[in-house]
Amino acid sequence: MNLYDSLPDAAATVFGAEAVAEFSYDVLTVDVPVGSWISALEIARDKLGCTYFDWLSAVDEPGTGFRICAHVVSLENHRVRRLLLRTTVPHSAASLPSAVAVYAGAEWHERETFEMFGVTFTDHPNLVPLLLPENFEGHPLRKDFVLAARVAKAWPGAKEPGEAHDPDAPKRRQMLPPGVPDPNDWGPMKGQLPPAPARPARTPRAAGAAGAVARTPREGAPVRRTRSVTEGSATQAPAEAATEEAAPRPPRRTRSVSEGSASQSPPAEAPKPAPRSSDAPWHDPKPAFEEPPTPPEADRQTSPEAEPAEPAEPAEPAEPPAPAGPAGPAGPDAAPESEPRTTPKTDPTPDNGGDA
């Protein structure tokens, strides 16, 4: 079992009595004092197996100091164990021993932290600026660093749309977010700008609305009637009068879903097709050869007359064909006149005159 698995309960035993640890989001966080910073890093490397150095940086906490954070990882037995070591240095004495002797990869991380926050790392082999130009002044990631870009260019919310084109238009109250100083106090236009206009005094009416000054009615004016929120304004009629004047509403008409609402108009009739001319053959196409209609399968099984026509056979003289009934050749099942008539086969079953 790795010693890492006994944390955070055994934080005081592993890192010292003043160490405070907590485990959240798969990351073990341990806070140690400044004097135990290097020893805590050695314990993490030697006893907890955190041989992988990830990053080192700082956070500016106003009123508290700079919180230095180092994130290291253990990869033993194909398992990732994360450890975040933290310590806090005051703003007045932002100094901390360098961790390069424990983790060589912390060299340029400490250079960046020194450049952005102003934290000095003692015993660092080459503590020089890393990212900013040589003539840059200040530490950009401090909370008290002045945003020079906002001094040269006004904050987007300082003016309403269209105010820049009309110099005589009334200006709104200047808005300065945190980190943006007054351009007349800091920057290239220091002392050259006129003072900001003071806010106009509140009128007695506005002050009375806020409860500062009571409004005195003029002489001879009637006493103002006080009404509650439920009664409404003086122009609103009483609820009783409104109820009496309101006429009874007719019963609501019930409509089904298929009928739709009362505001929907009935569906318009479909337009009639235009008459087709008979002189155009493509309007009424006809096949070149007409074929007799094929009877259904049921009629084909019950009636021999519905079977497809076959070549005619000579009838025997001893048995004349049965007389045709109402549904015979002249019936509705008869073939058109244009087709040649065929002699049906003889059937010993007498024809009762009905449909086959």
Side-chain angles (χ1 to χ4, degrees):
M1 178 179 179
N2 195 323
L3 187 59
Y4 180 95
D5 299 331
S6 63
L7 300 172
D9 299 334
T13 306
V14 177
F15 293 98
E18 298 181 1
V20 178
E22 64 176 357
F23 188 85
S24 61
Y25 298 101
D26 295 335
V27 177
L28 176 64
T29 305
V30 180
D31 292 279
V32 297
V34 177
S36 304
W37 174 247
I38 299 300
S39 61
L41 292 173
E42 293 176 350
I43 293 172
R45 182 192 62 181
D46 301 335
K47 296 184 178 181
L48 301 183
C50 298
T51 57
Y52 178 82
F53 177 84
D54 193 8
W55 53 265
L56 184 145
S57 186
V59 179
D60 187 3
E61 299 286 352
T64 303
F66 297 103
R67 181 167 294 173
I68 311 300
C69 308
H71 185 256
V72 293
V73 183
S74 171
L75 302 175
E76 292 183 358
N77 300 328
H78 303 282
R79 179 182 175 186
V80 179
R81 299 179 177 90
R82 307 177 186 274
L83 173 62
L84 184 64
L85 284 173
R86 301 188 305 184
T87 187
T88 305
V89 296
H91 290 98
S92 57
S95 179
L96 192 68
S98 176
V100 176
V102 184
Y103 293 102
E107 180 179 356
W108 72 269
H109 292 262
E110 292 180 347
R111 289 175 56 187
E112 182 186 12
T113 305
F114 164 73
E115 187 177 27
M116 296 296 175
F117 294 92
V119 179
T120 303
F121 293 90
T122 59
D123 302 331
H124 192 280
N126 187 26
L127 195 63
V128 294
L130 180 66
L131 303 174
L132 300 177
E134 296 179 358
N135 57 352
F136 190 89
E137 297 181 1
H139 306 284
L141 295 186
R142 281 192 174 188
K143 296 294 179 64
D144 57 354
F145 182 77
V146 177
L147 301 177
R150 292 307 179 193
V151 177
K153 184 178 180 181
W155 185 256
K159 294 182 179 181
E160 290 286 356
E163 288 184 358
H165 304 285
D166 188 4
D168 300 331
K171 296 183 178 181
R172 60 178 292 181
R173 181 182 179 184
Q174 296 293 330
M175 299 175 59
L176 295 177
V180 180
D182 190 352
N184 201 25
D185 297 338
W186 190 91
M189 303 298 294
K190 180 179 180 180
Q192 303 179 16
L193 301 176
R199 297 183 62 185
R202 303 180 67 183
T203 60
R205 180 176 183 181
V213 180
R215 187 174 178 180
T216 304
R218 67 177 184 273
E219 184 179 357
V223 181
R224 187 176 181 181
R225 179 183 177 187
T226 59
R227 301 176 66 90
S228 63
V229 178
T230 56
E231 295 177 353
S233 62
T235 58
Q236 294 178 351
E240 295 80 0
T243 305
E244 294 176 0
E245 295 177 2
R249 299 178 61 181
R252 186 174 181 180
R253 179 184 178 186
T254 59
R255 302 176 67 89
S256 63
V257 178
S258 60
E259 295 178 355
S261 62
S263 60
Q264 294 178 349
S265 58
E269 297 181 358
K272 297 181 179 180
R276 297 182 177 181
S277 176
S278 58
D279 57 350
W282 54 82
H283 287 166
D284 191 11
K286 294 182 179 180
F289 302 96
E290 295 183 358
E291 299 179 358
T294 304
E297 186 69 21
D299 297 347
R300 191 177 302 176
Q301 297 177 358
T302 55
S303 175
E305 298 181 1
E307 295 180 357
E310 297 180 357
E313 297 180 359
E316 298 180 1
E319 296 181 2
D333 296 338
E337 294 292 335
S338 59
E339 295 181 6
R341 296 184 178 181
T342 58
T343 304
K345 295 181 180 181
T346 58
D347 188 3
T349 305
D351 191 1
N352 53 3
D355 295 338

